[in-house]
Amino acid sequence: MTTEKMPATVRVGNTALGGGHFALIAGPCSVESEDQIIGVARAVQQAGATILRGGAFKPRTSPYDFQGLGAEGIRLLLRAKEATGMPIVTELLALRDLPLFEDVDMIQIGARNMQNFDLLKEMGRLKKPILLKRGLANTLQELLMSAEYIISEGNDQVILCERGIRTYEPYTRNTLDLSAVPALRELTGLPIVVDPSHATGKASLVPSMAMAAAAAGADGIMIEVHNDPACALCDGQQSLTPETFADLSRKIFRIREVLA
Amino acid sequence: MTTEKMPATVRVGNTALGGGHFALIAGPCSVESEDQIIGVARAVQQAGATILRGGAFKPRTSPYDFQGLGAEGIRLLLRAKEATGMPIVTELLALRDLPLFEDVDMIQIGARNMQNFDLLKEMGRLKKPILLKRGLANTLQELLMSAEYIISEGNDQVILCERGIRTYEPYTRNTLDLSAVPALRELTGLPIVVDPSHATGKASLVPSMAMAAAAAGADGIMIEVHNDPACALCDGQQSLTPETFADLSRKIFRIREVLA
Amino acid sequence: MTTEKMPATVRVGNTALGGGHFALIAGPCSVESEDQIIGVARAVQQAGATILRGGAFKPRTSPYDFQGLGAEGIRLLLRAKEATGMPIVTELLALRDLPLFEDVDMIQIGARNMQNFDLLKEMGRLKKPILLKRGLANTLQELLMSAEYIISEGNDQVILCERGIRTYEPYTRNTLDLSAVPALRELTGLPIVVDPSHATGKASLVPSMAMAAAAAGADGIMIEVHNDPACALCDGQQSLTPETFADLSRKIFRIREVLA
Amino acid sequence: MTTEKMPATVRVGNTALGGGHFALIAGPCSVESEDQIIGVARAVQQAGATILRGGAFKPRTSPYDFQGLGAEGIRLLLRAKEATGMPIVTELLALRDLPLFEDVDMIQIGARNMQNFDLLKEMGRLKKPILLKRGLANTLQELLMSAEYIISEGNDQVILCERGIRTYEPYTRNTLDLSAVPALRELTGLPIVVDPSHATGKASLVPSMAMAAAAAGADGIMIEVHNDPACALCDGQQSLTPETFADLSRKIFRIREVLA
């Protein structure tokens, strides 16, 4: 395995993760409108976020659920990038959509595609950071092997993301495995991001777990923020308001000082 | 959800599953050579198998492991079909390979792609049976929803496959969830196949679990058989010899008589 | 570990398990009244059951749930034994209750006490068969080590019981791990019983899983049967009626003939 | 359920947990000798620990493993308490040993006994704090119900402890479920302790997870510290040296300031 020899720092637009660089990634679960995405982008940027997230193509368990705005969602994200200067990250589900991602700064490969090896190999032929999420029930070794599928094709700009694993506990949507952060640190030089929003599925638990992720040494934390969580088209129950996010952001940066 | 209204019988070449039809699907994990695949095909056919399985494109955790013979593997499978008259099933990993599958009788979507929704939708546009395997840690409801992705695009020839789920128990490769058979029977009319080979990962456990699958009411059982398990290029430790398979086949059919 | 050298047959009253002996263990989740337990005992005996089960001391998640009839429950079980001649098995929760178990033929140690090592050691000092249930999330090796706690104190009459393990799947109460049957067979000579009632938690799934357990080679199957499931004080939704049990019993014995 | 009405603060000797009080609990996995336990006690006290932990009666998977010093271990713990003034916590396995625990300040009920309801009820008759550890695969609701078994008998001095749950991930001994901290906070007023040592099973991961536990809002953190981890009789690979613990302690208290 070659991941151990990987560069510790991955640049994403005008910011970076790993090697001492930390990124707060924030934004709505789904892009819904130009006003919404630019409004959230400005709010999270002001609160300390350096990368904007937002779903355009949404992987949904049921074919009858809202599947995201698609190409229009990407266009709106690029508008928000233009308006704020923030680099953007969004999920790719199908190779045929790849041309739409040319100006996207980082491509997310979601948990359900962590072992979609064909997709991984194609990501390896790009010159762009890839945010690779751990699968629902995948081991850390499998996550690293999936990163290898990308790296072995020539793209070493891979960022790993812990987003909760599936267990028997029903109180949370998934069980956030924060020990993955120091464990992966022992196994690889790739930057490590934590997503407490999808992991817990409950906005009330996100601040505590985001602070815990910072204390565990994550290189980045990805948090869902929505201007009006109660009306979100997708996963509103796990989204923070911009105000809660701003307060959390301050605490995260103070915790990072303790680790320094 | 429309799966409940689905036809109970799916035809695969000259045979069928569901609605009282039972299929024994057998063959090697990977296609290795013309002699091997035709030899195994003849042996399992004589022992009662009605569908030939064999991997050409192999999903492997590591990019450095044997990835299957690819297009050449499909060609050899088709040779075995020609030689024996058995319909064939093999896994599709990437859409670009689809043209190679024109004469394949049933396409397998593997556990790692159970929520590769783009691939599922494409399967829904085919006029061909799809063997959809349950993901490593997916619920029965999620399996049915993935079937819906195929069905809602127009292809109702979906067969569900239980192949073991991931648990904490290390003795077996996965934990075969046989209760999925009667449970899915309550939830859907789609035929249900069980794969005890991938579930247990140990040839010594396969006969007991194959008989148990028959007793649980499966519409089909898929078993790995290799002419020389000790020398198999992939998963030899879970493959039966043709002799063991022949003995098992007799018992499976006798158990089915008890259920009649 | 000495379990491998253990005798393959354990006698329970006038019957036995292991070494070719098979036992159908049946009865209500909880003993409720003399009429109920004697009525169910007669019905299951006529249908082929050779051991009567019934809970007197019930382990319940909540202290506010029905905890069983206690000493009175044991007395009623002994009345049913007297009336039918069937040996009885019932669960022990606390050492102080041990004197009440003198005429009980087999003591059950439940899943929640599988690693109550003090209780296990005391069981090792008895001259009585012990039915040791696998814990909610215990490995086969841990189950064998718990058996060792009993055996190493001098009592080698231990019978192992698979009763489902905890997983993420919500459709069933637990996930019945039937591969435990052939797996334990490779690791130990101790008899192996399967409990499909607690494993699935649904009466509709019990017959299929009981037949599957027989096909997997279990030495005994333990099934909850209640004269009036809809009115049972505990776990009625997983209890069979005597009629369904009688039909199932016939099929189980026919499946055992296939294995012979 | 009455846990919500419970007092937020539990006093343990000269210190307290909950309601704003925080305790660092430290000491060796097993008490081994007078020199060892007093030496470790002095070292962790100086580094900020306020409660001394140490195992005298050890729950071990195998009956052939070291089972702890027993009564002699309790005697040595009491000597360390005398020497340092620190209150002590140690695990009770069997009711018959209860008389030995008279001067023990807090009794630990281990993960394997979380649903040993008889033991729980007896704990409810004591006037002493009980540290109740979450079982290997128990839900938060089940943990609260086990606390209810204690509380409903009259003892409301219950402290809950998250110590990792069993999952499929092999890199760590268990998976520390830190979301249990804010989740339990929503469900109960009882103090919440985290044990990162048993959760991870690896000393190298303990500091990150202890800091994460502090950031998640735990009322106490329990850490294994051994004067000579490489020679520990039990679980040395997860024990910190006193030096590492001292450094960690400083960071934990700084993180708590961020939360204040």
Side-chain angles (χ1 to χ4, degrees):
Chain A
M1 200 170 66
T2 61
T3 48
E4 288 178 64
K5 306 169 217 141
M6 285 304 108
T9 305
V10 174
R11 297 213 60 83
V12 180
N14 55 8
T15 184
L17 294 96
H21 299 270
F22 177 81
L24 211 43
I25 307 168
C29 180
S30 290
V31 180
E32 297 173 13
S33 70
E34 183 163 333
D35 278 2
Q36 177 238 21
I37 190 67
I38 293 183
V40 173
R42 289 206 164 112
V44 298
Q45 185 177 38
Q46 195 164 5
T50 48
I51 301 177
L52 176 67
R53 60 145 290 150
F57 294 94
K58 302 293 304 173
R60 302 302 298 269
T61 300
S62 164
Y64 309 121
D65 285 345
F66 173 58
Q67 311 270 318
L69 294 187
E72 171 68 2
I74 302 284
R75 197 186 65 78
L76 298 178
L77 272 172
L78 291 172
R79 283 284 301 116
K81 175 181 175 177
E82 199 175 60
T84 62
M86 295 177 87
I88 56 175
V89 56
T90 192
E91 181 166 355
L92 175 74
L93 288 180
L95 282 177
R96 85 172 64 78
D97 299 325
L98 194 51
L100 297 168
F101 284 66
E102 198 166 335
D103 295 322
V104 168
D105 300 277
M106 177 158 61
I107 294 179
Q108 176 177 314
I109 299 299
R112 289 164 189 78
N113 279 320
M114 192 202 94
Q115 294 193 312
N116 180 342
F117 301 121
D118 184 56
L119 191 60
L120 297 177
K121 280 189 235 171
E122 292 295 332
M123 294 302 102
R125 290 166 198 142
L126 303 180
K127 302 267 169 273
K128 212 186 258 299
I130 307 298
L131 182 70
L132 178 63
K133 289 193 138 189
R134 182 181 185 183
L136 265 72
N138 285 108
T139 63
L140 299 181
Q141 278 299 339
E142 289 169 342
L143 175 57
L144 291 174
M145 279 299 157
S146 287
E148 276 297 295
Y149 266 95
I150 302 171
I151 294 166
S152 64
E153 296 288 331
N155 182 0
D156 62 10
Q157 300 174 72
V158 179
I159 294 172
L160 307 172
C161 181
E162 161 62 29
R163 44 75 75 199
I165 58 174
R166 186 161 267 185
T167 70
Y168 64 88
E169 172 61 54
Y171 195 79
T172 43
R173 184 167 169 177
N174 295 286
T175 296
L176 183 62
D177 177 13
L178 274 183
S179 56
V181 177
L184 287 170
R185 193 71 78 208
E186 296 183 350
L187 297 167
T188 180
L190 298 174
I192 304 155
V193 164
V194 171
D195 174 349
S197 304
H198 281 89
T200 62
K202 288 190 170 156
S204 62
L205 306 180
V206 167
S208 291
M209 299 320 288
M211 287 190 282
D219 300 303
I221 302 179
M222 182 154 74
I223 297 171
E224 291 195 3
V225 179
H226 195 283
N227 50 323
D228 185 4
C231 297
L233 290 181
C234 175
D235 287 342
Q237 74 287 354
Q238 72 196 28
S239 293
L240 301 189
T241 61
E243 295 70 33
T244 306
F245 176 73
D247 180 56
L248 171 58
S249 172
R250 277 187 291 275
K251 288 178 178 160
I252 286 173
F253 284 103
R254 286 185 57 201
I255 287 174
R256 282 196 47 82
E257 283 168 27
V258 176
L259 272 67
Chain B
M1 199 169 68
T2 62
T3 50
E4 288 178 63
K5 304 168 218 146
M6 284 305 109
T9 305
V10 174
R11 299 213 60 84
V12 180
N14 55 9
T15 185
L17 295 96
H21 299 271
F22 177 81
L24 211 44
I25 307 167
C29 181
S30 291
V31 180
E32 298 172 13
S33 70
E34 184 164 334
D35 279 2
Q36 177 239 20
I37 189 67
I38 294 184
V40 173
R42 290 204 163 114
V44 299
Q45 185 177 37
Q46 197 164 4
T50 49
I51 301 176
L52 176 66
R53 62 146 289 152
F57 294 95
K58 303 293 303 170
R60 303 302 298 271
T61 300
S62 164
Y64 309 121
D65 284 344
F66 172 57
Q67 310 268 319
L69 294 187
E72 171 69 2
I74 302 283
R75 197 185 66 78
L76 298 178
L77 273 172
L78 291 172
R79 283 283 301 115
K81 175 182 175 178
E82 198 175 60
T84 62
M86 296 177 85
I88 57 175
V89 57
T90 193
E91 181 165 356
L92 175 74
L93 287 180
L95 281 177
R96 85 172 63 79
D97 300 324
L98 194 51
L100 298 168
F101 285 66
E102 197 166 336
D103 296 322
V104 168
D105 300 278
M106 177 160 61
I107 294 179
Q108 176 177 311
I109 298 298
R112 289 165 189 77
N113 278 320
M114 193 203 91
Q115 293 193 313
N116 180 342
F117 301 121
D118 184 56
L119 190 60
L120 297 177
K121 280 189 235 171
E122 292 294 332
M123 295 302 101
R125 289 166 198 144
L126 303 180
K127 302 266 170 274
K128 213 187 257 300
I130 307 297
L131 183 71
L132 178 63
K133 290 193 137 189
R134 183 181 185 181
L136 266 74
N138 285 109
T139 64
L140 299 180
Q141 279 299 340
E142 288 169 343
L143 175 58
L144 290 174
M145 280 299 158
S146 287
E148 277 296 295
Y149 266 96
I150 301 171
I151 294 165
S152 64
E153 296 288 331
N155 183 2
D156 61 11
Q157 301 174 72
V158 180
I159 294 171
L160 306 173
C161 181
E162 160 62 30
R163 44 74 75 200
I165 58 174
R166 187 162 268 184
T167 70
Y168 65 86
E169 171 61 52
Y171 194 79
T172 44
R173 185 166 167 178
N174 295 286
T175 296
L176 183 62
D177 176 13
L178 274 183
S179 57
V181 177
L184 287 170
R185 193 70 80 208
E186 296 184 349
L187 298 168
T188 179
L190 299 174
I192 305 156
V193 164
V194 171
D195 174 350
S197 303
H198 281 88
T200 62
K202 287 190 171 157
S204 61
L205 305 180
V206 167
S208 292
M209 299 320 287
M211 288 189 282
D219 299 303
I221 302 179
M222 183 153 76
I223 297 172
E224 291 195 0
V225 179
H226 195 281
N227 50 321
D228 185 5
C231 298
L233 290 182
C234 176
D235 286 344
Q237 74 288 354
Q238 72 195 29
S239 293
L240 301 189
T241 60
E243 295 70 34
T244 306
F245 176 72
D247 179 57
L248 170 58
S249 172
R250 277 186 291 275
K251 288 178 177 160
I252 286 173
F253 284 103
R254 286 184 59 201
I255 287 173
R256 283 197 44 83
E257 284 168 27
V258 177
L259 272 66
Chain C
M1 199 169 68
T2 63
T3 49
E4 288 178 65
K5 305 169 217 143
M6 284 304 109
T9 306
V10 174
R11 297 213 61 82
V12 180
N14 56 8
T15 187
L17 294 96
H21 298 270
F22 177 81
L24 211 43
I25 307 168
C29 180
S30 290
V31 180
E32 296 172 14
S33 72
E34 184 164 332
D35 279 2
Q36 177 239 19
I37 188 66
I38 294 183
V40 173
R42 288 204 164 114
V44 299
Q45 186 176 38
Q46 199 163 1
T50 49
I51 301 177
L52 177 66
R53 62 146 289 149
F57 296 94
K58 302 294 304 172
R60 301 304 297 270
T61 300
S62 165
Y64 309 120
D65 285 344
F66 172 58
Q67 310 268 317
L69 294 185
E72 173 67 2
I74 303 283
R75 197 185 66 76
L76 297 177
L77 272 173
L78 291 170
R79 283 284 298 113
K81 173 182 177 177
E82 199 174 59
T84 62
M86 294 177 87
I88 56 175
V89 57
T90 192
E91 182 165 355
L92 176 74
L93 287 180
L95 282 176
R96 86 172 63 80
D97 299 324
L98 194 52
L100 296 168
F101 284 67
E102 197 165 337
D103 296 322
V104 168
D105 300 278
M106 177 159 62
I107 294 178
Q108 177 177 312
I109 299 300
R112 290 165 189 76
N113 279 320
M114 193 202 93
Q115 293 193 313
N116 180 342
F117 301 121
D118 184 55
L119 190 62
L120 296 178
K121 281 190 233 171
E122 292 295 331
M123 294 303 101
R125 289 165 199 142
L126 302 179
K127 300 268 170 276
K128 212 185 259 300
I130 307 298
L131 183 70
L132 178 63
K133 288 193 140 188
R134 183 181 184 180
L136 266 74
N138 285 110
T139 64
L140 299 179
Q141 278 299 339
E142 288 169 343
L143 176 58
L144 291 174
M145 280 298 159
S146 287
E148 276 296 296
Y149 266 96
I150 301 172
I151 293 165
S152 64
E153 295 288 331
N155 182 1
D156 61 12
Q157 299 173 73
V158 179
I159 293 171
L160 306 173
C161 182
E162 160 62 29
R163 43 75 76 201
I165 58 174
R166 187 160 269 184
T167 69
Y168 65 86
E169 171 61 53
Y171 195 80
T172 44
R173 186 167 169 177
N174 295 286
T175 296
L176 183 62
D177 177 14
L178 274 183
S179 56
V181 178
L184 287 170
R185 193 72 80 208
E186 295 183 349
L187 297 168
T188 179
L190 299 173
I192 304 154
V193 164
V194 171
D195 174 349
S197 304
H198 281 88
T200 62
K202 288 193 168 153
S204 62
L205 305 181
V206 168
S208 291
M209 298 320 287
M211 288 190 281
D219 300 303
I221 302 178
M222 184 154 75
I223 296 172
E224 292 196 2
V225 180
H226 196 281
N227 50 322
D228 186 3
C231 298
L233 291 181
C234 175
D235 286 343
Q237 74 288 355
Q238 72 195 31
S239 294
L240 300 189
T241 60
E243 296 68 35
T244 306
F245 176 73
D247 179 56
L248 171 59
S249 172
R250 278 187 291 276
K251 287 178 178 160
I252 286 173
F253 284 105
R254 285 183 60 202
I255 286 174
R256 283 199 44 82
E257 283 167 27
V258 176
L259 274 66
Chain D
M1 197 170 70
T2 63
T3 48
E4 289 176 63
K5 306 168 217 143
M6 283 305 109
T9 305
V10 174
R11 298 213 59 84
V12 180
N14 56 9
T15 185
L17 295 95
H21 298 270
F22 177 81
L24 211 43
I25 307 169
C29 180
S30 290
V31 180
E32 296 173 14
S33 71
E34 185 164 331
D35 279 2
Q36 176 238 21
I37 189 66
I38 294 182
V40 173
R42 289 203 163 116
V44 298
Q45 186 176 37
Q46 197 163 2
T50 49
I51 301 178
L52 176 66
R53 61 146 290 151
F57 295 94
K58 302 294 303 171
R60 302 303 298 269
T61 300
S62 164
Y64 308 121
D65 285 344
F66 173 58
Q67 309 269 319
L69 294 186
E72 172 67 3
I74 303 284
R75 198 185 66 76
L76 297 178
L77 272 173
L78 292 171
R79 283 282 301 112
K81 174 182 175 176
E82 200 175 60
T84 61
M86 295 177 88
I88 57 175
V89 56
T90 192
E91 181 165 355
L92 175 74
L93 288 181
L95 281 176
R96 87 172 61 79
D97 299 324
L98 193 52
L100 297 169
F101 284 67
E102 199 166 333
D103 296 323
V104 168
D105 300 277
M106 177 158 63
I107 295 179
Q108 176 176 311
I109 299 299
R112 288 164 192 78
N113 279 320
M114 193 202 92
Q115 293 193 312
N116 180 343
F117 301 120
D118 184 57
L119 190 61
L120 296 178
K121 281 189 234 172
E122 292 295 332
M123 294 303 100
R125 290 166 197 140
L126 302 180
K127 303 267 172 274
K128 211 185 259 300
I130 308 297
L131 183 71
L132 178 63
K133 290 193 138 188
R134 183 182 185 180
L136 265 73
N138 286 109
T139 63
L140 299 180
Q141 278 299 340
E142 288 169 344
L143 175 59
L144 291 173
M145 280 299 157
S146 287
E148 276 297 294
Y149 266 96
I150 301 171
I151 293 165
S152 64
E153 296 288 331
N155 182 2
D156 62 11
Q157 300 172 74
V158 179
I159 293 170
L160 306 173
C161 181
E162 161 62 30
R163 44 74 76 199
I165 59 174
R166 186 161 270 184
T167 69
Y168 65 86
E169 172 61 55
Y171 195 80
T172 45
R173 187 169 167 175
N174 295 286
T175 296
L176 183 62
D177 176 13
L178 274 183
S179 56
V181 177
L184 288 170
R185 193 72 79 208
E186 295 183 349
L187 297 168
T188 179
L190 299 174
I192 304 156
V193 164
V194 171
D195 174 350
S197 303
H198 281 88
T200 62
K202 288 191 169 155
S204 61
L205 305 180
V206 168
S208 291
M209 298 319 288
M211 288 190 281
D219 300 303
I221 302 177
M222 183 153 76
I223 296 172
E224 292 197 1
V225 179
H226 195 283
N227 50 323
D228 185 4
C231 297
L233 290 181
C234 176
D235 286 342
Q237 74 287 355
Q238 71 195 31
S239 293
L240 300 189
T241 59
E243 294 70 32
T244 306
F245 176 73
D247 179 57
L248 171 58
S249 172
R250 277 187 291 275
K251 288 177 178 161
I252 286 173
F253 284 104
R254 286 183 58 202
I255 286 174
R256 281 194 49 79
E257 284 169 28
V258 176
L259 273 65

